[in-house]
Amino acid sequence: MAIFATLCYVSRGNKILLLLKSKGLFGGGKWNAPGGKLARGESPEVGAVREVFEETGLRVRGLRFHGVLNFYLGRSRRLDQTVFVFSSKEAKGKIRVGVEGRLRWFPRHELPYDLMWEDDRVWLPFLLEDRSFVGSFFFSDGYGRLEDHVLEEAENSEPTG
């Protein structure tokens, strides 16, 4: 069964907040934006706000919806996850360390792509340029290797929160 999830890229000035996922968790050892699975009946916007707070201690507002990423696995190309991607320039509170991993602010032009998911270098530049997108990414089983992808620019949408 496919999973619905969110990612939310929080920025302050010229910096982006990333999370180095703890070993043993999905994505362990990789830098990523705060995010995670949606709760049953939860909207993507509400889920993104909740995940950012749970993983960072920050309360975000003014979410900008950028797009949807679909992730398929293996030879059968089974849909594994649909991820709703947001960004926010409005974050209040004090960063706190949690079980999810270590947090760090990176300059926009110095993101650690070599330590991130392979697909990030394909679609993240769209988000950084404030563009909207729809993407399909085809990974080997277990997300071992990105095998193929399709990324299309979508019509821009308005902030939701």
Side-chain angles (χ1 to χ4, degrees):
M1 180 181 290
I3 295 167
F4 289 127
T6 64
L7 286 172
C8 185
Y9 285 80
V10 179
S11 63
R12 281 192 178 156
N14 194 37
K15 295 192 175 183
I16 305 284
L17 182 64
L18 295 179
L19 171 73
L20 179 61
K21 282 283 190 168
S22 296
K23 300 284 184 188
L25 296 178
F26 178 74
K30 294 184 187 302
W31 288 99
N32 204 357
K37 296 177 187 175
L38 291 176
R40 186 179 192 93
E42 185 176 50
S43 73
E45 294 87 350
V46 169
V49 169
R50 176 186 53 77
E51 286 287 344
V52 170
F53 180 72
E54 289 176 1
E55 295 182 358
T56 71
L58 298 176
R59 295 198 182 276
V60 292
R61 298 180 340 149
L63 266 63
R64 158 84 160 89
F65 175 66
H66 288 274
V68 176
L69 303 173
N70 292 298
F71 294 96
Y72 300 86
L73 293 180
R75 299 180 124 213
S76 67
R77 294 195 164 191
R78 173 183 58 83
L79 178 62
D80 185 60
Q81 293 188 51
T82 295
V83 179
F84 301 89
V85 183
F86 298 90
S87 67
S88 175
K89 296 177 182 176
E90 299 177 44
K92 294 190 181 209
K94 185 176 179 183
I95 288 182
R96 67 166 188 255
V97 178
V99 296
E100 293 284 333
R102 181 167 54 104
L103 296 161
R104 180 173 161 199
W105 292 98
F106 286 90
R108 292 172 72 90
H109 300 292
E110 295 176 24
L111 297 179
Y113 284 111
D114 290 343
L115 302 173
M116 297 169 75
W117 288 100
E118 278 183 87
D119 58 280
D120 290 355
R121 67 178 67 242
V122 176
W123 63 266
L124 189 51
F126 277 56
L127 181 142
L128 296 173
E129 295 169 1
D130 202 32
R131 294 160 63 192
S132 297
F133 50 82
V134 175
S136 294
F137 294 86
F138 302 91
F139 278 84
S140 61
D141 284 323
Y143 288 91
R145 182 172 49 90
L146 179 62
E147 296 177 337
D148 197 8
H149 71 273
V150 176
L151 182 68
E152 297 179 15
E153 188 163 8
E155 217 175 283
N156 282 346
S157 57
E158 295 298 316
T160 59

